[in-house]
Amino acid sequence: MIEEFNIGVVGAGYVGLTTGACLAHLGYQVTCVDRDEVRIAFLKEGRTPIYEPGLEELVRGGARRGCLRFSTELSKTVHGADVLFIAVDTPQGNDGSADLSSVGAVAREIGDALSGIERLRPLVVVNKSTVPVGSGDYVSMLIEEGAAEGGNGTIAYRVVSNPEFLREGSAIYDSLFPDRIVLGADTRDALDTMRALYEPIIEQTFPTQLDPRPKDVVPFVTTDLASAEMIKYAANAFLATKISFINEVATICELVGADVTSVAHGMGLDERIGRRFLSAGIGWGGSCFPKDVAALRSIAREYDHEPVLLDASVTVNEHQRRRVIAKLQRDLHTLKGKRIALLGLTFKPNTDDLREAPSLEIAHLLDQRGARVFGYDPVAGKKAAELLPSLRVVFDPYEALKGAHAVVVVTEWDEFRELDLNRVASLMEKPPVLVDGRNALDPRDVKAAGIRYRGFGRG
Ligand code: UGA
């Protein structure tokens, strides 16, 4: 029997909605709050505003069992909650630092809602948004300010940090079967509350259809607030740098005639290195790595430290986009008037997210050089067309390939691995060229169909 908790989640985006739906799946009473009325109305109808495999089913299941509700009223949710997660976005500001205005506004509102209310237990305010080190104290300060404005400075609450490590495209799996849960707190009672709340995940004792259960016990890492906040930045910056590292190695592989896929395999089997996040290609994008690496660089500079390794990681990543153009120019020479097809527009497969997607920059660079760019994506075509008017979006991959001088696989959606390569070759201008931006295809298959194959670091 799990302990009963009433949970509020502020922000119904990727992190908030997944957190809310997963906690409701564990059997808790959860209310997801968002100030966006359209989004909440959508959710109340059982529809999710984002594309994330399995999320809609989980949301509907939670709502059907009466465990998951949606609201636009933060103060009401604060009153009824034992634990309140803040999961609003912290976008990149103009100077690279994280913009905390949404987090700040929520903190003030929490303070205001708490003021003058008698509570049996302090409200545990859990910061899940990615925030600079020291933000826990900042959130406390704003809660106090909000409470003072509401006429009562003495309110019962605790602020803890609980960074999120889920990946888009596998958000539910990552939430229910995490590698670890990190909790930063300054008080024992808040820590105990969070330990009890996460008990079903730590012990892996919850009902799930997602078998096989891959973990015995999930490590629960407890630390201070600042270290928890830093763990999030350090983890994302390390992963981004790991990718930039293999991309640098891939470039050197091309020069010396080695194959980076074999190199990554041989390196990755060393447990100290690990096999994951060693796929070379056009580099990292998305809503997290670019923003978090920029924020960590900005934090370092605030303290007069030059983060040379992080700077280099970003430089390598920028080069990767341009290397697509260089590879096309090697075969096609001038790109003016050439028709180029981009397959996959989202920043990675199984999401409809186009934030910092390499496709947008590559399309822009091609457009600058006078190429005619056609794009296809299994889910985000319409969104991409709105973002980049110069990109001609079509809704069938073969349509994009008709008359194309070259095709670039930008995102490794599964369906591109199943393309009929003979048909691809017959539709394209001769000689057809394929730039595999994710090393997703087997070069032998591509060449057998009479298409020139250009991967990243593949000899
Ligand atoms: C990332 C982290 O992996 C999560 O742990 C974290 O919670 C999340 O950011 C966040 O901070 O919210 P996500 O942005 O969803 O998750 O995507 P990833 O799967 O990490 O991929 C990021 C980028 O790296 C993608 O553009 C992907 O194509 C690229 N990538 C990944 C590579 O180029 N090579 C690889 O080997 C792996």
Side-chain angles (χ1 to χ4, degrees):
M1 185 66 193
I2 62 167
E3 214 175 304
E4 285 188 8
F5 284 106
N6 280 318
I7 297 169
V9 182
V10 191
Y14 263 106
V15 171
L17 203 52
T18 308
T19 303
C22 287
L23 291 172
H25 182 68
L26 301 183
Y28 298 128
Q29 291 295 322
V30 181
T31 305
C32 285
V33 196
D34 201 296
R35 61 180 173 195
D36 183 338
E37 289 176 8
V38 178
R39 178 167 284 233
I40 291 298
F42 219 69
L43 286 161
K44 280 183 173 169
E45 287 167 18
R47 294 187 291 162
T48 46
I50 44 180
Y51 175 86
E52 178 63 36
L55 186 58
E56 197 154 281
E57 291 78 354
L58 212 63
V59 166
R60 284 191 185 157
R64 210 176 28 246
R65 291 193 316 280
C67 296
L68 187 58
R69 293 176 193 78
F70 300 98
S71 169
T72 50
E73 292 177 77
L74 178 57
S75 60
K76 218 164 134 188
T77 308
V78 169
H79 295 159
D82 305 305
V83 176
L84 188 77
F85 285 85
I86 302 181
V88 295
D89 61 342
T90 48
Q92 189 173 325
N94 292 337
D95 59 353
S97 65
D99 176 351
L100 290 182
S101 49
S102 299
V103 173
V106 170
R108 275 174 192 279
E109 265 196 75
I110 295 171
D112 186 32
L114 284 174
S115 85
I117 301 283
E118 295 264 337
R119 296 182 60 93
L120 284 175
R121 286 194 287 182
L123 174 70
V124 180
V125 178
V126 188
N127 200 0
K128 250 198 185 302
S129 302
T130 301
V131 290
V133 180
S135 298
D137 294 340
Y138 177 65
V139 166
S140 297
M141 193 181 86
L142 294 179
I143 292 179
E144 298 286 349
E145 273 182 24
E149 279 160 25
N152 185 346
T154 49
I155 50 169
Y157 71 94
R158 306 274 188 263
V159 174
V160 302
S161 166
N162 175 212
E164 181 52 66
F165 302 106
L166 64 79
R167 293 161 299 169
E168 290 183 19
S170 53
I172 295 165
Y173 182 90
D174 291 346
S175 300
L176 294 174
F177 307 108
D179 286 345
R180 78 300 206 188
I181 294 171
V182 172
L183 210 282
D186 293 338
T187 57
R188 186 77 235 177
D189 58 345
L191 203 71
D192 290 344
T193 301
M194 294 306 292
R195 174 78 176 71
L197 184 129
Y198 278 126
E199 177 86 11
I201 294 182
I202 295 169
E203 301 294 339
Q204 293 284 293
T205 52
F206 54 86
T208 179
Q209 286 84 47
L210 295 170
D211 281 338
R213 293 175 186 214
K215 304 245 187 290
D216 291 333
V217 171
V218 173
F220 185 64
V221 180
T222 57
T223 181
D224 57 277
L225 275 162
S227 303
E229 289 163 349
M230 190 64 187
I231 287 170
K232 170 68 188 193
Y233 280 118
N236 270 2
F238 181 83
L239 291 170
T241 305
K242 190 173 180 186
I243 300 166
S244 284
F245 179 87
I246 200 66
N247 281 334
E248 179 108 301
V249 169
T251 304
I252 302 172
C253 280
E254 277 178 29
L255 298 171
V256 299
D259 183 340
V260 73
T261 52
S262 295
V263 174
H265 179 65
M267 276 170 67
L269 286 171
D270 183 330
E271 282 185 11
R272 293 170 302 174
I273 296 173
R275 296 167 72 169
R276 294 160 74 189
F277 277 66
L278 282 181
S279 300
I282 52 181
W284 37 274
S287 64
C288 304
F289 285 178
K291 166 176 81 73
D292 292 351
V293 174
L296 190 54
R297 291 165 80 202
S298 156
I299 293 168
R301 293 216 159 82
E302 205 182 312
Y303 291 87
D304 284 332
H305 172 70
E306 280 304 310
V308 284
L309 184 59
L310 300 180
D311 290 351
S313 172
V314 172
T315 306
V316 170
N317 204 45
E318 286 165 359
H319 285 168
Q320 297 311 106
R321 312 323 195 211
R322 294 185 176 271
R323 294 190 64 228
V324 173
I325 309 300
K327 282 176 193 294
L328 290 169
Q329 284 170 331
R330 218 176 69 196
D331 282 300
L332 305 178
H333 307 293
T334 178
L335 298 177
K336 207 170 182 53
K338 298 277 163 60
R339 182 172 164 147
I340 313 290
L342 303 185
L343 294 186
L345 302 171
T346 50
F347 84 95
K348 67 173 191 177
N350 299 323
T351 175
D352 63 351
D353 201 336
L354 287 159
R355 286 176 285 179
E356 300 283 333
S359 64
L360 300 180
E361 198 184 335
I362 292 167
H364 175 68
L365 292 171
L366 288 169
D367 183 53
Q368 273 182 338
R369 284 157 182 78
R372 292 171 298 140
V373 193
F374 287 74
Y376 164 79
D377 188 90
V379 299
K382 259 172 95 175
K383 262 168 83 174
E386 285 162 19
L387 277 176
L388 210 66
S390 63
L391 180 68
R392 283 163 250 202
V393 173
V394 293
F395 295 90
D396 178 281
Y398 296 104
E399 181 70 31
L401 291 160
K402 251 187 228 160
H405 296 84
V407 51
V408 185
V409 176
V410 183
T411 314
E412 68 280 30
W413 287 91
D414 276 344
E415 69 173 72
F416 302 143
R417 294 192 176 91
E418 277 139 37
L419 283 172
D420 175 348
L421 291 168
N422 291 321
R423 188 170 165 207
V424 170
S426 71
L427 287 169
M428 292 177 68
E429 287 290 314
K430 305 290 169 294
V433 177
L434 183 145
V435 176
D436 188 353
R438 299 292 183 178
N439 289 348
L441 306 185
D442 188 330
R444 287 167 302 190
D445 296 343
V446 178
K447 285 178 203 159
I451 303 171
R452 288 185 187 172
Y453 179 87
R454 308 287 179 231
F456 275 73
R458 295 184 114 172

